[in-house]
Amino acid sequence: AREAEVRETAVRSAEQAGFELERIIEGAKGVLVSISKVESVQALDGPRCVDYLSGLQPDVPHLVTLAAIDLNGNLTGVA
């Protein structure tokens, strides 16, 4: 009986952790989609990207680094 209770608690904890991770991933996805629609990011305008991403950084402290990278993997802007 005790073993089943412990197992059930572990399963609930794992499910809760999974839901939390899903929420975090969806939030990050939303931020990235929004960033991708910004003109300076689409144009890969380095200085303007840096300005934009630097201004955004305080609003998303859980994302330690924000960067714009072109399709060839070249770094355009980092905040």
Side-chain angles (χ1 to χ4, degrees), residues 23-39:
R23 187 186 68 77
I24 291 168
I25 290 167
E26 285 302 312
K29 180 181 174 184
V31 169
L32 294 174
V33 167
S34 295
I35 289 171
S36 75
K37 296 182 184 302
V38 172
E39 181 184 333

Side-chain angles (χ1 to χ4, degrees), residues 4 9 14 17 20 28 57 59-60 66 74 76:
T9 300
E20 182 66 15
Q57 186 67 53
D59 295 329
V60 287
L66 295 172
N74 299 312
T76 300

